[in-house]
Amino acid sequence: WLNTRRPHPEHNVYPHLLRGVLVVWPGQVWRTDITYIRLPLGFSYPAAIIDWYLRRVVSWRIRKRRVTESKCR
């Protein structure tokens, strides 16, 4: 079991920039999330864009390799 909640001492820790922001309409704040899924023949990398007000996924994409730029539709 690997605990990912504790940052490595050599890694930068960035502040939560939206702390205290009141989200009052759709499209005001979107967040992204990416993870990986181990499959028998490799990995799959799903990514999603989530509207904080609606609490819904507004776009998503799954790729066979991890990339830094991706266009979700």
Side-chain angles (χ1 to χ4, degrees), residues 29-34 46-62 72-73:
V29 176
W30 288 356
R31 76 166 272 239
T32 61
D33 195 12
I34 185 169
I49 299 174
I50 303 159
D51 186 305
W52 263 16
Y53 180 82
L54 297 175
R55 298 182 183 256
R56 290 189 199 150
V57 173
V58 293
S59 184
W60 61 274
R61 186 167 205 175
I62 298 177
C72 292
R73 296 180 184 157

Side-chain angles (χ1 to χ4, degrees), residues 6-71:
R6 281 180 272 149
H8 190 278
E10 296 177 13
H11 293 173
N12 292 331
V13 177
Y14 297 97
H16 180 41
L17 299 177
L18 295 175
R19 187 179 311 274
V21 172
L22 184 61
V23 181
V24 294
W25 64 82
Q28 180 183 357
V29 176
W30 288 356
R31 76 166 272 239
T32 61
D33 195 12
I34 185 169
T35 191
Y36 68 92
I37 301 169
R38 186 185 312 251
L39 300 171
L41 298 176
F43 290 92
S44 178
Y45 298 91
I49 299 174
I50 303 159
D51 186 305
W52 263 16
Y53 180 82
L54 297 175
R55 298 182 183 256
R56 290 189 199 150
V57 173
V58 293
S59 184
W60 61 274
R61 186 167 205 175
I62 298 177
R63 298 200 122 200
K64 292 183 180 180
R65 66 185 202 287
R66 188 175 50 188
V67 294
T68 57
E69 294 179 12
S70 181
K71 296 177 183 173

